[in-house]
Amino acid sequence: MLSGPKITQTIKVAIAAATASMLMAGAAKADESAFLKTLAGNWSGKGTVKVRTNAPTMKVTCRFKSDANASSLALNGRCTSLVVFSRVISANLKASGDSYTGSYVGAGTGTAGLGGKRAGNAISLAIKWAKEVNGDRRAQMTIEKTGASGMRLTTIDTDPATGRSVVTSRIELRRS
């Protein structure tokens, strides 16, 4: 059996390093929890939606309820445009550190997969549609906290005819 001051010092250093690592991991999760909780509540607002990249832009009015806890966000609501457009929209995300995975319903093609990261006040997500939308199955979504009581939801897709990025929805919400 090994003993002595050198072994004792090595054990103390290893314990200190393990403790510091656990504390830092806890602090990272606490930071994400605090951010997610700022998105909880009832939200309403207005914005624009394009059903496809080449479709006309429609003005919409939206209402959402957002539930959040230390590691997840559930955003459920509806957007309407007069009698032309009414769609249920939901996003369910799970956080692991600053990485997010989950699902999205709102494009009318079935449940899409989401995956991405948070940087600052925005969660940037890659969307993988259930079926082709605008010529492929990829798009981008951003859920962004704006100010003390605002949230912006944005989706961007690629126009298959031009290859350019097109904002297909931008909804500005306020806590209600």
Side-chain angles (χ1 to χ4, degrees):
M1 179 168 176
L2 298 174
S3 63
K6 218 172 204 174
I7 298 299
T8 303
Q9 183 63 24
T10 302
I11 291 171
K12 286 180 183 177
V13 169
I15 290 171
T19 303
S21 176
M22 287 187 284
L23 289 173
M24 287 171 51
K29 288 187 186 238
D31 289 345
E32 209 58 27
S33 171
F35 174 74
L36 287 170
K37 288 179 183 176
T38 68
L39 300 175
N42 294 314
W43 300 84
S44 61
K46 297 180 185 260
T48 58
V49 170
K50 288 174 149 283
V51 178
R52 298 290 177 258
T53 56
N54 61 353
T57 300
M58 294 182 283
K59 292 184 179 188
V60 294
T61 301
C62 304
R63 292 190 173 281
F64 288 92
K65 181 174 194 268
S66 177
D67 294 313
N69 63 37
S71 62
S72 68
L73 173 68
L75 186 62
N76 297 290
R78 176 179 292 279
C79 290
T80 58
S81 176
L82 301 174
V83 292
V84 177
F85 176 88
S86 180
R87 188 161 288 164
V88 171
I89 298 172
S90 68
N92 292 292
L93 297 171
K94 294 210 179 293
S96 178
D98 65 350
S99 295
Y100 287 79
T101 56
S103 61
Y104 169 69
V105 174
T109 64
T111 303
L114 296 173
K117 291 190 173 281
R118 177 170 74 93
N121 286 333
I123 305 169
S124 297
L125 301 158
I127 302 172
K128 184 173 182 187
W129 301 121
K131 297 178 185 173
E132 269 195 19
V133 176
N134 297 311
D136 64 21
R137 294 183 60 194
R138 295 180 312 262
Q140 297 293 315
M141 174 187 288
T142 304
I143 301 171
E144 182 179 8
K145 178 82 169 108
T146 57
S149 61
M151 180 174 16
R152 178 181 303 124
L153 308 176
T154 307
T155 56
I156 298 173
D157 207 341
T158 303
D159 183 340
T162 65
R164 291 186 178 160
S165 293
V166 176
V167 175
T168 53
S169 71
R170 176 165 289 162
I171 302 164
E172 300 285 344
L173 300 166
R174 291 276 171 235
R175 195 178 305 280
S176 51

